[in-house]
Amino acid sequence: ELAPKQYITLNTVDAELLGLHAGESINVTLGEETHELPCAVRPDLPRGVACLPAGLTPFEGHALPARGRLAVARAAISMRGSR
């Protein structure tokens, strides 16, 4: 498979609040679809924004930016999507 795997990128502070480290999994929901994705962490990403690379499965075809939901174990927050 030549296409890269989907992942989600969070701000360092947001990841810490969720108890996440780079490479750990988070459940991402857009619309009716929920998928478990690995998390990347970037300090330069604005707080409250989560980035998904456009055009990669499993969320290909979703219009971005979009509102979604992130959930880790018992912690959950809503975030506004980004391109």
Side-chain angles (χ1 to χ4, degrees):
E1 182 176 306
L2 297 178
K5 301 267 185 200
Q6 183 63 277
Y7 61 92
I8 189 161
T9 306
L10 302 176
N11 170 277
T12 306
V13 174
D14 292 331
E16 287 174 5
L17 289 172
L18 288 168
L20 283 173
H21 297 93
E24 293 182 330
S25 294
I26 186 167
N27 291 324
V28 179
T29 303
L30 284 182
E32 300 293 320
E33 296 180 43
T34 299
H35 297 278
E36 188 173 315
L37 301 177
C39 175
V41 178
R42 285 184 40 184
D44 59 325
L45 190 66
R47 287 196 59 203
V49 173
C51 285
L52 289 169
L56 297 180
T57 57
F59 294 113
E60 63 187 332
H62 282 273
L64 298 177
R67 290 200 178 271
R69 184 156 178 85
L70 305 178
V72 172
R74 288 182 256 175
I77 61 170
S78 292
M79 300 189 88
R80 187 172 152 213
S82 181
R83 291 184 216 166

